[in-house]
Structure formats: structure tokens, C-alpha cells
Amino acid sequence: MSWEAWFTLAVMLAIVATLVRGLLPPSAAFMAGMVAVLAVGIVEPQQAFSGFSNPAPITIASVYVLARGVEKTGALTPIVARMLGTSGGMRSGLARLCVPTAAASAFMNTTPIVAMLVPQVERWSEQRGWSPSSFLMPLSFAAIFGGIATVIGTATNLIVSGLFEASGLEPLGFFEISKAGVPIGAVGLTLIVLLSPAVLPRRRSVRSEFTDELRQFVTEVVVTEGGSLDGRTVDEGGLRHLDSVFLVQIDRAGDLIAPVTPNTTLRGGDVARFVGRSDQLVELQALRGVEPVVEQQILELGSGPHAYFEAVVGATSPLVGETLRSAGFRSSYQGAVIAIHRSGQLIDAKLGSVRLRVGDTLLILADPGFRDRWNNSSDFLLIAPLEATVPAGSRAAIGVAAVIAAVVVAAASGAMELVAAVLLGAVGLVVLRILSPREALSAVNLDVVIMIAAAIGLAQAMVVSGLAANIADGIVDVFSGLGGHGLLLGVVLATVLLRE
């Protein structure tokens, strides 16, 4: 191989190592790689930035806006509620869940679909006495299988179609891949329904586990009137840096103060609620200026103007590797984390000192406006308020459905290019005032869009340097003896490996 091919390969391996170790967000890692091959002259600027003129990233950004309209109006949830029903066994319920999910994900982004349906599925399964874990992973897989049915169903299909156009070929038709995608999806959904009840573990929801272990997590003390803490701030009273527990809420004559800041002034008679490990509450009992009281149910914390939320830490979140204390969670997000769920169990430690990992589920106490503030944030995936109701159908939901139907008809009939149809649909949601301009902009996951555009530039470097040809020659050498189907198998295996 030429030095350009070796250099491009080294850049690709460095990107993989960076992603595995979580040193940079994916978009930053791919941009850095693209800049590296540009800096040494392997590609020209127009080649390096060709991804930003490719229709695929623009189409993907527009699909995010359409999905945001569905999420905001709850257009899917009444349909799924009716299909889930109340009769039949677990496999019957899985079938009724997976089929509409797959059908919906063939026409919009999978992530908001799953996020939108998770609270509904959790409530439905718990009402039936089933473990939510038996349905949540099948829900995710069903959305993925639905995405392979149409060209708009997943970002990968759009990228390939965009590369076809860049190469002077006809783009993929809207339903062109359906002849392969639908049968594959049907087989996958069948296996999910048959195998999931047998192979998936039975896990309780975060709230169920938390509720069952209340006495291990909550204790209360009353600030003594005229005592050493009366009139002092939380920080001055030494209540911010306890080794085993942390202050989550103050009840002042029925008025709830949450989250509690270091500058909150304590008053005599205040009931201070702490969350932490039950086997280390001696430190709290030894404090001067407080008196212990009978423990209260933690669910009272959600009464009045406060509610619980579940949030999942994602791979690109700045919280990964940080503790709640070092990230300044309460001051930055205006919410208090009262439990961390990891690998099927609650974290039994002082929460403020636990380093967060990808996939951690945070149980957050905050005001009802917390969802609106952080719903579209990349810091974590906000599932829903735990007591939230399922969005009902509305005129706005009908409008979203009409826009998406128009996009599908226009693109599938060939009356309009896919990128033009999807862009027009996204603009239509704003014109119809279903989404505000700010909501539409915030719906776009710029990390994904930038990563894809940069990856296309890196693909150009692989082609120009000869690395792609070397990989292709290697696949041909190994699999050519198996004929055309063998070569296809080689392409599939190489793609699956690189995809991971």
C-alpha cells in the first residue's frame, strides 16, 4: 500500500480508539480525522467537504424535524395504545407492540419513536404484571428492523443513496429496498416475538426498585429552632459535603424547596430530607442543630410542583466520566438526582461521588418544566415524567400525519426528489405552526449530521489513497471462490464489522 493508504488507515484506527475510550464525541473525532487527511494533502478541500454538499445529511436533518413533530403531538401513542390492548399473553403483546413500531420507523427516525413509546410500554407492561425489560429491547429492535424497509427509514440508507448520486448513478427509490428489507424485517420480528420471552432477563423498572428500597435511601431531620443551623446557609452548616448522604429537599411548613442550593438558608422547623446509604446514617444523626424524625415515603418528594423524571446518559454526553458534584448537576440542570441505575441494579453509594457511565439511568427530582428545558438536549435522553400521561390525539397530530403522508407520496411517486420532499415537509410543520422555528432547529441532532458529513469526506480519502481498493481486493481474494453470493457475504461481513 502507498503511504497515503497507510496514513488513512492509521487515521481510521485512531478514530475507532478515540470512540472506544470516549475521548471525544463522534462528530469531533470524525472531523479531526477529516482535517488530518486534508492537512497532509491526501484529499483536496472540495473532496474533504463533499459530505456537506451531499443530500444525505440534509435529508437526515429534515427527518429529525418530522420526528419531532410526531413526538410533540403524540401522533403515534393513541394508535399504539389501541393495538397493545389488554388481552392475550406476552408473545401476543410483543407482536402488537413490534409491528406498529416497525411500520412507523420505516418513515421516520427511530430514536424519538422509541423514546416516545418507552413510558407507555412501561406502564402497560407493569399493569399486566410483566417486566418492562421484556418489551423495551424488543421495542428497540423492532424500530431498527422497520428502518430497513424504506430508503428514508435509517440514516445508512440515505447515505448510500446520496453516494449513488455523487457517483452519477440514480438514487435509491423510496421503496426500492423494500423487496429485501420487508422480508428481513418480518423474519426478525418473528424471531423477536418467539425468543424474547425466553432469553431476556426480567428486570424491574428503576422506580419499582427505588420504591422497594426507600428505607435504604431516605431519612429526615428537623432543624432545631434557635440551634446552630438556624439562620445559616446549607453550605455554612456543612450539609453539602457529608460522606454518606446528600440533601435533596427542604419542607418548610408545606412549601417544598427543591433542588436545594448551597446558598439556601435554613430555618428552625425545616424538615430536611436526605438521600444516601442507610448503613452510614450515623454521620447525619451526629450533626448538631438537627433532630431526627420518622422517615417519610420518598414519593412525597414528587408532590406539589415537583415530579420525577428518568434520563439516560448517552455516549456523547458531557456527564460521562463526571460525578454529579463535579458536573454541578443541581445548579446546571435545576434538578436533583436521587438514584442511579446501572447494569440492572441501583448504585449503593454516595451519589455525588459516583462517576457516570454511558447507559446510566438517572432518577431526577425537578419541577415540571424540567422536561421542556432538557427534552432535546444531547446531555441525556429524557424519557418522560414518571407520572406523565400519554399524549392524546389532536388536530396537530392529524396535521403531522398528513405532512408525512404527503412526503411519502411525493418521494415514492417520483414527483419530487427525496431531499426536496423531506425538506418541504419539515418546513411545512413550521408553516402550520405545529413546530416553532426554535423547536425545529433544536430537533436536529447536529452531532449526527456533522459526523456523517465528515465520514463522507474520510470515505473520499479511502478512495483516493487506494485503501478502499485494497480492502475490496482483499474481500474478493478471500470470498471469490464462493461465487457471487460469496462476494456478497464478504461485503456484508466487512460492513457489519466496520458498522460496529
mmCIF file of all heavy atoms in Angstrom, residues 8-9 26 37 40 72 126 151 173 202-203 206 246 252 259 295 325 335 383 387 422 463 468:
data_model
loop_
_atom_site.group_PDB
_atom_site.id
_atom_site.type_symbol
_atom_site.label_atom_id
_atom_site.label_comp_id
_atom_site.label_asym_id
_atom_site.label_seq_id
_atom_site.Cartn_x
_atom_site.Cartn_y
_atom_site.Cartn_z
ATOM 1 N N THR A 8 -4.137 6.942 5.963
ATOM 2 C CA THR A 8 -5.605 6.938 6.101
ATOM 3 C C THR A 8 -6.055 5.817 7.034
ATOM 4 O O THR A 8 -6.950 6.014 7.873
ATOM 5 C CB THR A 8 -6.267 6.768 4.725
ATOM 6 O OG1 THR A 8 -5.815 7.804 3.847
ATOM 7 C CG2 THR A 8 -7.782 6.837 4.850
ATOM 8 N N LEU A 9 -5.425 4.648 6.912
ATOM 9 C CA LEU A 9 -5.755 3.542 7.811
ATOM 10 C C LEU A 9 -5.438 3.902 9.255
ATOM 11 O O LEU A 9 -6.223 3.614 10.172
ATOM 12 C CB LEU A 9 -4.976 2.290 7.401
ATOM 13 C CG LEU A 9 -5.185 1.039 8.276
ATOM 14 C CD1 LEU A 9 -6.653 0.630 8.269
ATOM 15 C CD2 LEU A 9 -4.299 -0.105 7.806
ATOM 16 N N PRO A 26 -18.380 11.616 18.832
ATOM 17 C CA PRO A 26 -18.182 11.077 17.480
ATOM 18 C C PRO A 26 -17.985 12.144 16.410
ATOM 19 O O PRO A 26 -17.132 12.008 15.537
ATOM 20 C CB PRO A 26 -19.463 10.277 17.237
ATOM 21 C CG PRO A 26 -19.896 9.854 18.607
ATOM 22 C CD PRO A 26 -19.542 11.003 19.505
ATOM 23 N N VAL A 37 -6.473 14.122 7.135
ATOM 24 C CA VAL A 37 -6.185 13.697 5.756
ATOM 25 C C VAL A 37 -6.153 14.892 4.809
ATOM 26 O O VAL A 37 -5.460 14.867 3.786
ATOM 27 C CB VAL A 37 -7.210 12.646 5.284
ATOM 28 C CG1 VAL A 37 -7.095 11.374 6.115
ATOM 29 C CG2 VAL A 37 -8.641 13.187 5.338
ATOM 30 N N VAL A 40 -2.511 16.748 5.224
ATOM 31 C CA VAL A 40 -1.338 16.129 4.595
ATOM 32 C C VAL A 40 -1.487 16.022 3.079
ATOM 33 O O VAL A 40 -0.607 15.489 2.403
ATOM 34 C CB VAL A 40 -1.065 14.727 5.192
ATOM 35 C CG1 VAL A 40 -0.784 14.819 6.679
ATOM 36 C CG2 VAL A 40 -2.234 13.779 4.925
ATOM 37 N N LYS A 72 -43.959 15.603 19.520
ATOM 38 C CA LYS A 72 -44.645 16.695 20.216
ATOM 39 C C LYS A 72 -46.150 16.487 20.260
ATOM 40 O O LYS A 72 -46.793 16.731 21.285
ATOM 41 C CB LYS A 72 -44.319 18.027 19.542
ATOM 42 C CG LYS A 72 -45.022 19.222 20.190
ATOM 43 C CD LYS A 72 -44.686 20.523 19.486
ATOM 44 C CE LYS A 72 -45.425 21.682 20.144
ATOM 45 N NZ LYS A 72 -45.115 22.974 19.481
ATOM 46 N N GLU A 126 -46.343 -3.070 33.271
ATOM 47 C CA GLU A 126 -46.489 -3.179 34.720
ATOM 48 C C GLU A 126 -47.946 -3.401 35.114
ATOM 49 O O GLU A 126 -48.231 -4.108 36.077
ATOM 50 C CB GLU A 126 -45.919 -1.926 35.390
ATOM 51 C CG GLU A 126 -44.391 -1.865 35.313
ATOM 52 C CD GLU A 126 -43.831 -0.596 35.921
ATOM 53 O OE1 GLU A 126 -44.619 0.335 36.172
ATOM 54 O OE2 GLU A 126 -42.610 -0.539 36.138
ATOM 55 N N VAL A 151 -36.043 3.710 2.022
ATOM 56 C CA VAL A 151 -34.805 4.475 1.934
ATOM 57 C C VAL A 151 -34.737 5.548 3.010
ATOM 58 O O VAL A 151 -33.657 5.948 3.442
ATOM 59 C CB VAL A 151 -34.673 5.107 0.529
ATOM 60 C CG1 VAL A 151 -35.709 6.200 0.315
ATOM 61 C CG2 VAL A 151 -33.272 5.666 0.322
ATOM 62 N N GLY A 173 -34.780 4.389 -5.033
ATOM 63 C CA GLY A 173 -36.189 4.720 -4.957
ATOM 64 C C GLY A 173 -36.709 4.557 -3.546
ATOM 65 O O GLY A 173 -36.123 3.839 -2.722
ATOM 66 N N ARG A 202 -35.564 -10.718 33.386
ATOM 67 C CA ARG A 202 -36.689 -9.984 33.959
ATOM 68 C C ARG A 202 -36.122 -8.933 34.913
ATOM 69 O O ARG A 202 -35.626 -9.242 35.984
ATOM 70 C CB ARG A 202 -37.627 -10.923 34.731
ATOM 71 C CG ARG A 202 -38.168 -12.074 33.891
ATOM 72 C CD ARG A 202 -39.160 -11.576 32.848
ATOM 73 N NE ARG A 202 -39.874 -12.687 32.241
ATOM 74 C CZ ARG A 202 -39.495 -13.304 31.139
ATOM 75 N NH1 ARG A 202 -38.378 -12.924 30.539
ATOM 76 N NH2 ARG A 202 -40.195 -14.292 30.634
ATOM 77 N N ARG A 203 -36.184 -7.680 34.495
ATOM 78 C CA ARG A 203 -35.694 -6.584 35.344
ATOM 79 C C ARG A 203 -36.858 -5.694 35.735
ATOM 80 O O ARG A 203 -37.744 -5.422 34.930
ATOM 81 C CB ARG A 203 -34.647 -5.747 34.601
ATOM 82 C CG ARG A 203 -33.344 -6.464 34.336
ATOM 83 C CD ARG A 203 -32.283 -5.448 33.919
ATOM 84 N NE ARG A 203 -30.987 -6.084 33.722
ATOM 85 C CZ ARG A 203 -30.515 -6.442 32.536
ATOM 86 N NH1 ARG A 203 -31.237 -6.248 31.459
ATOM 87 N NH2 ARG A 203 -29.322 -6.987 32.428
ATOM 88 N N VAL A 206 -36.755 1.202 37.119
ATOM 89 C CA VAL A 206 -35.985 1.985 38.086
ATOM 90 C C VAL A 206 -36.861 2.423 39.252
ATOM 91 O O VAL A 206 -36.485 2.329 40.414
ATOM 92 C CB VAL A 206 -35.379 3.230 37.392
ATOM 93 C CG1 VAL A 206 -34.658 4.106 38.398
ATOM 94 C CG2 VAL A 206 -34.440 2.781 36.290
ATOM 95 N N PHE A 246 -26.761 13.050 50.937
ATOM 96 C CA PHE A 246 -26.807 14.437 50.474
ATOM 97 C C PHE A 246 -28.227 14.970 50.599
ATOM 98 O O PHE A 246 -29.204 14.224 50.547
ATOM 99 C CB PHE A 246 -26.272 14.582 49.049
ATOM 100 C CG PHE A 246 -27.131 13.980 47.992
ATOM 101 C CD1 PHE A 246 -28.128 14.714 47.371
ATOM 102 C CD2 PHE A 246 -26.945 12.663 47.604
ATOM 103 C CE1 PHE A 246 -28.920 14.152 46.382
ATOM 104 C CE2 PHE A 246 -27.735 12.095 46.617
ATOM 105 C CZ PHE A 246 -28.719 12.841 46.014
ATOM 106 N N ARG A 252 -40.618 23.284 54.171
ATOM 107 C CA ARG A 252 -40.777 24.422 55.080
ATOM 108 C C ARG A 252 -42.260 24.737 55.224
ATOM 109 O O ARG A 252 -42.858 25.405 54.377
ATOM 110 C CB ARG A 252 -40.001 25.626 54.551
ATOM 111 C CG ARG A 252 -40.106 26.887 55.406
ATOM 112 C CD ARG A 252 -39.128 27.941 54.924
ATOM 113 N NE ARG A 252 -37.750 27.510 55.106
ATOM 114 C CZ ARG A 252 -36.703 28.072 54.486
ATOM 115 N NH1 ARG A 252 -36.899 29.070 53.638
ATOM 116 N NH2 ARG A 252 -35.483 27.621 54.715
ATOM 117 N N PRO A 259 -34.526 21.817 43.705
ATOM 118 C CA PRO A 259 -33.359 21.318 44.432
ATOM 119 C C PRO A 259 -32.822 22.356 45.406
ATOM 120 O O PRO A 259 -33.086 23.540 45.258
ATOM 121 C CB PRO A 259 -32.362 21.032 43.311
ATOM 122 C CG PRO A 259 -32.742 21.984 42.231
ATOM 123 C CD PRO A 259 -34.234 22.095 42.283
ATOM 124 N N GLU A 295 -39.047 8.541 59.120
ATOM 125 C CA GLU A 295 -38.857 8.558 57.665
ATOM 126 C C GLU A 295 -40.202 8.655 56.953
ATOM 127 O O GLU A 295 -41.201 8.100 57.396
ATOM 128 C CB GLU A 295 -38.144 7.277 57.217
ATOM 129 C CG GLU A 295 -36.716 7.194 57.697
ATOM 130 C CD GLU A 295 -36.069 5.892 57.269
ATOM 131 O OE1 GLU A 295 -36.791 4.990 56.813
ATOM 132 O OE2 GLU A 295 -34.851 5.790 57.403
ATOM 133 N N ARG A 325 -21.304 15.846 41.456
ATOM 134 C CA ARG A 325 -20.734 17.019 42.114
ATOM 135 C C ARG A 325 -19.834 17.802 41.160
ATOM 136 O O ARG A 325 -19.951 19.021 41.035
ATOM 137 C CB ARG A 325 -19.941 16.599 43.351
ATOM 138 C CG ARG A 325 -19.318 17.772 44.101
ATOM 139 C CD ARG A 325 -18.583 17.281 45.336
ATOM 140 N NE ARG A 325 -19.509 16.640 46.265
ATOM 141 C CZ ARG A 325 -19.112 15.934 47.329
ATOM 142 N NH1 ARG A 325 -17.821 15.756 47.567
ATOM 143 N NH2 ARG A 325 -20.010 15.396 48.120
ATOM 144 N N GLY A 335 -32.177 20.290 38.880
ATOM 145 C CA GLY A 335 -32.803 19.043 39.293
ATOM 146 C C GLY A 335 -31.870 18.272 40.196
ATOM 147 O O GLY A 335 -30.645 18.479 40.174
ATOM 148 N N ILE A 383 -36.469 10.465 29.142
ATOM 149 C CA ILE A 383 -37.543 9.552 28.758
ATOM 150 C C ILE A 383 -38.897 10.224 28.928
ATOM 151 O O ILE A 383 -39.594 10.500 27.965
ATOM 152 C CB ILE A 383 -37.474 8.254 29.579
ATOM 153 C CG1 ILE A 383 -36.106 7.593 29.393
ATOM 154 C CG2 ILE A 383 -38.578 7.307 29.158
ATOM 155 C CD1 ILE A 383 -35.796 7.250 27.959
ATOM 156 N N GLU A 387 -44.885 10.179 36.054
ATOM 157 C CA GLU A 387 -46.338 10.194 36.204
ATOM 158 C C GLU A 387 -47.002 10.846 35.002
ATOM 159 O O GLU A 387 -48.157 11.232 35.049
ATOM 160 C CB GLU A 387 -46.721 10.951 37.493
ATOM 161 C CG GLU A 387 -46.307 10.215 38.762
ATOM 162 C CD GLU A 387 -46.973 8.869 38.905
ATOM 163 O OE1 GLU A 387 -48.049 8.653 38.321
ATOM 164 O OE2 GLU A 387 -46.427 8.012 39.607
ATOM 165 N N VAL A 422 -38.648 15.841 1.747
ATOM 166 C CA VAL A 422 -38.477 15.847 3.205
ATOM 167 C C VAL A 422 -38.246 17.265 3.717
ATOM 168 O O VAL A 422 -38.789 17.661 4.757
ATOM 169 C CB VAL A 422 -37.308 14.926 3.600
ATOM 170 C CG1 VAL A 422 -37.103 14.953 5.101
ATOM 171 C CG2 VAL A 422 -37.583 13.495 3.153
ATOM 172 N N VAL A 463 -10.826 6.282 -0.798
ATOM 173 C CA VAL A 463 -10.843 6.006 -2.236
ATOM 174 C C VAL A 463 -9.591 6.559 -2.907
ATOM 175 O O VAL A 463 -8.896 5.862 -3.656
ATOM 176 C CB VAL A 463 -12.115 6.606 -2.877
ATOM 177 C CG1 VAL A 463 -12.049 6.476 -4.394
ATOM 178 C CG2 VAL A 463 -13.360 5.912 -2.338
ATOM 179 N N ALA A 468 -9.470 1.884 0.049
ATOM 180 C CA ALA A 468 -10.735 1.199 -0.243
ATOM 181 C C ALA A 468 -10.516 0.094 -1.266
ATOM 182 O O ALA A 468 -11.084 -1.004 -1.142
ATOM 183 C CB ALA A 468 -11.762 2.206 -0.754
#
